[in-house]
Amino acid sequence: MPFATIADSNPIKLCVVIVGLPARGKSFISQKIVRYLSWLSIPTKSFNCSTNLEQILKESGTNADDLFRSNYASDGEILNKTRDITLEQILDWFGNVAACGVAIYDGINATKVERDRLNKTLQNHGINTVFLEAYCDDESIIETNITDIDSTSPEYSKFESLQDTINSVSNKIQFYSKAYQTLTTEDEGDLSFIKLINFSSQIILNHIDSYLKSRIVYYIMNLHVKNRYIWLSRHGESQYNLEGKIGGDASLSERGVKYSYKLVELVNKYIPNHDKLEVWTSTLKRTQQTAKFLPYPQKQWKALDELDAGSCDGLTYEEIAEKYPDDFKARDDNKFEYRYPGGESYRDVITRLEPIIMALENQENVLVITHQAVLRCIYAYFMNVHQEESPWMSIPLHTLIRLEIKAYGTQVTRIKADIPAVSTYKERGTSKLGESSNGTNIMSGSVISGITDKVVI
Amino acid sequence: MPFATIADSNPIKLCVVIVGLPARGKSFISQKIVRYLSWLSIPTKSFNCSTNLEQILKESGTNADDLFRSNYASDGEILNKTRDITLEQILDWFGNVAACGVAIYDGINATKVERDRLNKTLQNHGINTVFLEAYCDDESIIETNITDIDSTSPEYSKFESLQDTINSVSNKIQFYSKAYQTLTTEDEGDLSFIKLINFSSQIILNHIDSYLKSRIVYYIMNLHVKNRYIWLSRHGESQYNLEGKIGGDASLSERGVKYSYKLVELVNKYIPNHDKLEVWTSTLKRTQQTAKFLPYPQKQWKALDELDAGSCDGLTYEEIAEKYPDDFKARDDNKFEYRYPGGESYRDVITRLEPIIMALENQENVLVITHQAVLRCIYAYFMNVHQEESPWMSIPLHTLIRLEIKAYGTQVTRIKADIPAVSTYKERGTSKLGESSNGTNIMSGSVISGITDKVVI
């Protein structure tokens, strides 16, 4: 039996139907929800209406400009077809891929009639619905959104200038605005909905009647669009690292201590406003020793402790392969779900990291000094790395990692301390560790749109 | 350095100012917030205006009926004095008791002028504010609330009949209604507020600008007033229990196996609607073996695993006292905060249990089969047991515990299986375990208003 986590406490089919005019931040919110819920192991997928619309326009040889210059008709053939296809994709996904989970219907869903129809069809298929409206009448937010769309949305990459994007988006806004009906409790009080007004300065919640819905609301409340940095580092090289042992509570090696001195320099040089920095460590010695010389407020979190290797704690991978060959193989086969006897799996680590992620969404100027597996999980959240890949990412020692978090993506910069360290990276199917991590390791991970990974120094 | 938990991620002084006419469920919400945040180790205290009002009326020899028959005057002497005293109590608490934490100003706070004044004063003292309005125009909810008040509120215990309570509350409602101004974004858009409409069927959030506030909202969203049962049990007696050892992953003893059979009977006999029961266990053998014969859907939660005794895992208390005398004493001195080397503290367990509590707030008909320390933490939440006492509660083996959760309190019933078991209860200052738990142990804990503990069989 798989172990239950938050994802399983109330397994339901839920469709989050996005509502909102163009440039209201709909895709930002959809993407964030997909990333967060997927990270928590809840099957989640976004279905984008405008991608489908583009395809239909192409196939029918219709010019988008012509469509958007016409009058909006809720039952117009092209829009109807777009909606049908999106809905079919969702029903198909629930029917054939995800027995439970969250589908996001990312579209305009402009009118009461359309929403009512959608709600009823989903209900008939045993799918719960919550409407999520991104309502915005603050022109400055809309302008910022258009600029963001221009620089990040593949849909607008064909335009050469920002002005072209502005014109195109404005046409669309005009087209949909004429028909658009905002969600109100007076008119659609029977629907379960979340209405975000001007990002989330005001939120109206109507019939939020399940745990999963409340969790989505909680997450959205904690989102910010402000660009900011989060800083990450593994502890310095430890005695156990030198001996190839996992787990334990060893002290730093001589080179590890060097890194702890060097880290002060790196922070001074690379972290702007470091006078306001806060340093988070785990409760284990090696992270606290690494933070020792940093003259900033420090917090120790149990949730940042390394993945608990249970009965394998203190062993080398070779010893594990010898003593527990079945476990060794099982872990290689499914590293995300595998739980050390009496210890933890990556999935377990994510469960306990969730409050840290929520706190990080509210923070800037934090340096998190923690452990390989924990950093993989934090990194996976910010970089949207799939759970099959995340336990295999190589995150080298003696490297300060900068996450630049922007509305539509995260950019990673690695700052190497130039202090040699052993590699603690074990490839699948072997019990040997990699070469020295000084300059040779690559932090892998799926690079999605708007997310890049670069190395400095 | 104390270890950081969710409570410390953004330590602030926050005052939750309750707004609402009488019988709107204000005290229910205040009490729940106090209980939840205190359980999470966030210093939280509710300051009740009507208690202060009663005192002032008494001192000034004024009859309450006379006051409530007069016309409401925002600046009336008695109400002004009541507000001043409540505010002083809060400022005093932040000044002298809690450097950070949450004060709840539980009052009517009927008018814009009063709220504006309060907001400014709190702000001047460096205290964040969020207003929490319980708005209700559903007469059936109000009637239920009055009945609840009659049976649970000490303020109304002096009345002999429900009708007397109804008359008294109705007078108060009339008195405040004339002046009452509900919170709207149009009129008080600058305030940070949560407006609950008809319990929480609709919620309006305005400027929820901190993690702690979002957490309070999330918690409120998950509250239900429906009366329901939660069922708890420790695993059956284990081999380790027999040997006096802590931790480990031992199997059940012979008597433990007997309990697992007996549990089926108890469930059949005592749990109504047991055909819809769900059973939650930890990932450890002894809980799963205890649940083995229960023919209901089962979920295994890592979060329900026993407190991790780290390097003391598998030892007896005598061995711990001998091998680690300092640790043994430190644990007795502060059992809630003490963390076993490489293991956990009660505080750590509460942090990982939080999602379970949130799931339980959304559930009924669950039987949770888990471990002594974990049960203490779950029990402490539902029974509002202070964290200094909760690690010392005795929760006997081979006993099915029924929590009857009502709006204004939880009632406990213990159903003994009549199968002998060792005691696993260690008193402070000794390494010896208690007598056999068959019929001798008492589940202690502070019995607060509306909460009782009774034993059947």
Side-chain angles (χ1 to χ4, degrees):
Chain A
M1 187 192 318
F3 296 106
T5 66
I6 205 70
D8 315 294
S9 68
N10 261 315
I12 54 168
K13 296 178 184 189
L14 176 67
C15 183
V16 179
V17 181
I18 309 281
V19 174
L21 290 168
R24 263 59 183 181
K26 297 192 302 295
S27 294
F28 166 69
I29 292 164
S30 308
Q31 276 180 32
K32 289 286 264 187
I33 295 174
V34 171
R35 201 209 303 177
Y36 172 66
L37 297 179
S38 305
W39 185 76
L40 287 174
S41 300
I42 300 174
T44 308
K45 193 174 157 92
S46 176
F47 299 86
N48 192 301
C49 247
S50 68
T51 313
N52 288 330
L53 175 60
E54 226 171 314
Q55 185 65 22
I56 289 164
L57 287 170
K58 211 197 248 170
E59 281 166 15
S60 66
T62 314
N63 189 304
D65 288 345
D66 291 346
L67 173 70
F68 293 122
R69 265 196 293 266
S70 71
N71 278 327
Y72 183 91
S74 183
D75 56 353
E77 200 187 331
I78 287 178
L79 293 185
N80 245 345
K81 204 171 165 188
T82 307
R83 281 192 286 266
D84 286 349
I85 286 180
T86 311
L87 184 58
E88 264 169 44
Q89 288 170 336
I90 289 173
L91 298 179
D92 183 63
W93 186 71
F94 277 123
N96 300 313
V97 183
C100 66
V102 179
I104 301 190
Y105 186 123
D106 184 6
I108 309 282
N109 298 303
T111 68
K112 279 193 273 184
V113 172
E114 291 167 36
R115 296 190 288 257
D116 180 57
R117 201 160 37 196
L118 198 51
N119 190 43
K120 283 181 180 144
T121 313
L122 289 164
Q123 210 165 36
N124 288 340
H125 285 81
I127 300 166
N128 265 278
T129 310
V130 62
F131 290 84
L132 170 54
E133 180 177 7
Y135 178 89
C136 183
D137 55 13
D138 180 332
E139 286 301 328
S140 69
I141 297 181
I142 298 171
E143 274 171 36
T144 310
N145 284 342
I146 295 179
T147 316
D148 277 339
I149 288 171
D150 180 66
S151 60
T152 60
S153 166
E155 198 182 334
Y156 293 90
S157 58
K158 59 183 178 239
F159 294 123
E160 277 175 20
S161 73
L162 173 60
Q163 194 51 51
D164 288 348
T165 300
I166 292 174
N167 293 344
S168 169
V169 175
S170 302
N171 274 344
K172 281 191 195 172
I173 293 177
Q174 243 185 342
F175 171 73
Y176 288 110
S177 288
K178 285 174 205 150
Y180 191 76
Q181 295 165 312
T182 187
L183 279 162
T184 65
T185 47
E186 290 75 23
D187 287 344
E188 291 171 278
D190 288 345
L191 296 183
S192 170
F193 71 77
I194 303 160
K195 180 171 178 173
L196 308 176
I197 300 170
N198 294 328
F199 194 54
S200 60
S201 72
Q202 194 194 330
I203 304 177
I204 296 170
L205 306 173
N206 200 55
H207 299 308
I208 298 305
D209 49 13
S210 78
Y211 186 27
L212 189 53
K213 288 181 189 177
S214 77
R215 215 163 161 89
I216 292 171
V217 173
Y218 176 52
Y219 178 65
I220 292 173
M221 276 191 286
N222 281 290
L223 291 182
H224 299 273
V225 275
K226 200 183 158 197
N227 292 353
R228 66 214 164 86
Y229 297 122
I230 297 284
W231 303 84
L232 308 173
S233 173
R234 289 179 64 186
H235 55 81
E237 184 188 68
S238 76
Q239 289 296 342
Y240 260 37
N241 291 153
L242 283 181
E243 297 163 28
K245 289 180 183 169
I246 66 169
D249 192 13
S251 289
L252 293 186
S253 73
E254 211 171 293
R255 297 191 296 198
V257 174
K258 268 193 196 153
Y259 177 65
S260 69
Y261 283 106
K262 183 77 179 182
L263 196 52
V264 180
E265 268 177 51
L266 296 183
V267 166
N268 277 330
K269 187 164 173 192
Y270 291 99
I271 303 192
N273 307 316
H274 56 80
D275 49 312
K276 288 181 203 136
L277 191 70
E278 196 171 279
V279 179
W280 294 359
T281 67
S282 76
T283 70
L284 298 168
K285 273 186 232 145
R286 54 197 185 277
T287 61
Q288 290 168 25
Q289 289 172 357
T290 306
K292 192 172 169 189
F293 305 109
L294 295 168
Y296 311 106
Q298 303 199 0
K299 277 184 193 150
Q300 301 174 2
W301 299 81
K302 178 82 180 158
L304 289 173
D305 280 4
E306 181 56 312
L307 186 146
D308 180 357
S311 52
C312 295
D313 190 86
L315 302 182
T316 65
Y317 286 116
E318 274 121 339
E319 285 166 343
I320 298 172
E322 207 184 293
K323 278 196 183 176
Y324 306 99
D326 290 348
D327 281 88
F328 190 78
K329 190 177 173 310
R331 187 159 202 256
D332 263 9
D333 287 349
N334 190 347
K335 199 171 173 186
F336 186 80
E337 296 285 355
Y338 171 81
R339 172 183 288 153
Y340 281 111
E344 290 180 307
S345 65
Y346 270 84
R347 197 199 240 260
D348 294 332
V349 173
I350 280 179
T351 301
R352 69 162 147 97
L353 270 180
E354 200 269 348
I356 296 276
I357 289 297
M358 212 62 94
L360 284 177
E361 280 289 358
N362 274 287
Q363 287 273 357
E364 53 186 325
N365 258 331
V366 189
L367 166 58
V368 183
I369 301 177
T370 176
H371 306 264
Q372 180 163 260
V374 176
L375 268 186
R376 281 175 177 149
C377 294
I378 295 176
Y379 189 87
Y381 169 78
F382 283 107
M383 300 301 280
N384 207 16
V385 182
H386 194 274
Q387 62 184 44
E388 276 166 29
E389 288 174 45
S390 60
W392 294 103
M393 283 187 294
S394 159
I395 300 190
L397 286 165
H398 299 179
T399 307
L400 177 63
I401 299 168
R402 184 181 81 176
L403 300 183
E404 187 178 359
I405 296 160
K406 296 178 173 179
Y408 285 89
T410 302
Q411 195 167 25
V412 181
T413 308
R414 281 179 292 142
I415 301 157
K416 302 196 154 228
D418 199 22
I419 295 170
V422 296
S423 165
T424 57
Y425 186 72
K426 185 193 96 61
E427 278 198 38
R428 202 191 288 250
T430 164
S431 60
K432 294 266 182 295
L433 293 173
E435 295 297 304
S436 155
S437 69
N438 188 28
T440 54
N441 266 334
I442 289 160
M443 193 193 301
S444 69
S446 57
V447 175
I448 70 155
S449 107
I451 291 182
T452 60
D453 185 358
K454 64 175 179 182
V455 185
V456 297
I457 304 184
Chain B
M1 188 191 316
F3 297 107
T5 66
I6 206 69
D8 314 294
S9 68
N10 260 315
I12 54 168
K13 295 179 186 191
L14 176 66
C15 183
V16 179
V17 182
I18 309 283
V19 174
L21 289 169
R24 262 59 181 179
K26 298 191 302 296
S27 293
F28 166 68
I29 292 165
S30 308
Q31 276 182 30
K32 289 287 262 185
I33 295 174
V34 171
R35 200 207 307 178
Y36 173 66
L37 297 180
S38 305
W39 185 76
L40 287 173
S41 299
I42 299 174
T44 309
K45 193 174 158 93
S46 175
F47 298 85
N48 192 301
C49 249
S50 66
T51 313
N52 288 330
L53 175 59
E54 227 172 314
Q55 185 65 24
I56 288 165
L57 288 171
K58 212 198 250 169
E59 281 165 15
S60 66
T62 313
N63 189 307
D65 287 345
D66 291 346
L67 173 70
F68 292 123
R69 265 195 295 264
S70 69
N71 278 327
Y72 184 91
S74 185
D75 55 355
E77 198 187 331
I78 288 178
L79 293 185
N80 246 345
K81 201 171 167 191
T82 307
R83 282 192 287 266
D84 285 349
I85 287 181
T86 312
L87 185 58
E88 264 167 46
Q89 288 170 337
I90 290 173
L91 298 179
D92 183 64
W93 185 70
F94 277 124
N96 300 313
V97 183
C100 67
V102 179
I104 301 189
Y105 187 123
D106 183 5
I108 309 282
N109 298 303
T111 68
K112 279 194 274 184
V113 173
E114 292 167 36
R115 295 190 290 257
D116 180 57
R117 200 161 35 195
L118 199 50
N119 190 43
K120 282 182 181 144
T121 313
L122 289 164
Q123 211 165 34
N124 287 341
H125 285 81
I127 300 166
N128 264 279
T129 310
V130 61
F131 290 84
L132 170 54
E133 180 177 6
Y135 178 90
C136 183
D137 56 13
D138 181 330
E139 285 301 328
S140 68
I141 297 180
I142 298 172
E143 274 171 36
T144 310
N145 284 343
I146 295 180
T147 316
D148 278 339
I149 288 172
D150 180 65
S151 60
T152 60
S153 166
E155 199 182 332
Y156 293 91
S157 58
K158 60 183 178 238
F159 293 123
E160 275 174 20
S161 73
L162 173 61
Q163 194 52 51
D164 288 348
T165 300
I166 293 174
N167 293 343
S168 170
V169 175
S170 301
N171 274 343
K172 281 192 196 172
I173 294 177
Q174 243 184 342
F175 172 73
Y176 288 110
S177 289
K178 287 174 204 149
Y180 191 76
Q181 295 166 310
T182 188
L183 280 162
T184 65
T185 47
E186 290 75 23
D187 286 343
E188 293 171 277
D190 288 345
L191 297 182
S192 170
F193 71 77
I194 304 161
K195 179 173 178 172
L196 308 176
I197 300 171
N198 294 329
F199 193 56
S200 61
S201 71
Q202 194 194 329
I203 304 177
I204 297 171
L205 305 174
N206 200 56
H207 299 307
I208 299 304
D209 49 12
S210 78
Y211 187 26
L212 189 53
K213 290 182 189 177
S214 77
R215 213 162 164 90
I216 293 171
V217 173
Y218 176 51
Y219 178 65
I220 292 173
M221 276 191 285
N222 280 291
L223 291 183
H224 299 274
V225 275
K226 202 184 157 195
N227 293 353
R228 66 211 164 87
Y229 297 122
I230 297 285
W231 303 83
L232 309 173
S233 173
R234 289 180 64 188
H235 54 80
E237 185 188 68
S238 76
Q239 289 295 342
Y240 259 39
N241 291 153
L242 283 182
E243 296 163 29
K245 289 179 181 169
I246 66 167
D249 192 12
S251 288
L252 294 186
S253 72
E254 213 171 291
R255 297 191 296 197
V257 174
K258 268 192 199 155
Y259 178 65
S260 69
Y261 282 106
K262 183 75 180 183
L263 197 51
V264 181
E265 269 176 53
L266 296 183
V267 166
N268 277 328
K269 188 166 170 190
Y270 292 99
I271 303 192
N273 307 316
H274 57 80
D275 49 312
K276 287 180 203 136
L277 190 71
E278 197 172 278
V279 179
W280 294 0
T281 67
S282 76
T283 71
L284 298 168
K285 271 187 235 146
R286 54 197 186 277
T287 62
Q288 290 168 26
Q289 289 172 357
T290 307
K292 192 171 169 191
F293 305 109
L294 295 168
Y296 311 105
Q298 302 198 0
K299 278 184 192 148
Q300 300 174 1
W301 299 81
K302 178 82 179 159
L304 289 174
D305 281 3
E306 182 55 313
L307 186 146
D308 181 355
S311 52
C312 295
D313 190 85
L315 302 183
T316 65
Y317 285 116
E318 273 119 342
E319 286 166 344
I320 297 170
E322 205 184 293
K323 278 195 183 176
Y324 306 99
D326 291 348
D327 281 87
F328 190 78
K329 189 177 174 311
R331 188 159 201 257
D332 264 8
D333 287 349
N334 190 347
K335 199 170 173 187
F336 187 80
E337 295 286 355
Y338 172 81
R339 172 183 287 152
Y340 282 111
E344 290 180 307
S345 65
Y346 270 85
R347 199 199 238 259
D348 294 333
V349 173
I350 279 179
T351 302
R352 68 162 147 96
L353 271 180
E354 201 268 349
I356 296 277
I357 289 296
M358 212 61 97
L360 284 178
E361 280 289 359
N362 274 286
Q363 287 273 357
E364 54 187 323
N365 256 331
V366 189
L367 166 58
V368 183
I369 300 176
T370 175
H371 306 264
Q372 179 164 259
V374 176
L375 267 186
R376 281 176 176 148
C377 295
I378 295 176
Y379 188 87
Y381 169 78
F382 283 107
M383 300 300 282
N384 206 17
V385 182
H386 194 274
Q387 63 184 44
E388 276 166 29
E389 289 173 45
S390 61
W392 294 104
M393 282 187 293
S394 157
I395 299 188
L397 286 165
H398 299 179
T399 307
L400 177 63
I401 299 168
R402 184 182 82 178
L403 300 182
E404 186 177 359
I405 296 161
K406 295 178 173 180
Y408 286 88
T410 302
Q411 194 166 25
V412 181
T413 308
R414 282 179 291 144
I415 301 159
K416 302 197 152 225
D418 198 22
I419 294 170
V422 296
S423 165
T424 57
Y425 186 73
K426 183 192 99 59
E427 279 198 37
R428 200 192 289 250
T430 164
S431 60
K432 293 267 181 294
L433 294 172
E435 294 298 303
S436 155
S437 70
N438 187 26
T440 54
N441 265 332
I442 289 159
M443 192 193 300
S444 68
S446 57
V447 174
I448 69 154
S449 108
I451 289 182
T452 60
D453 185 357
K454 64 175 179 183
V455 184
V456 298
I457 302 184

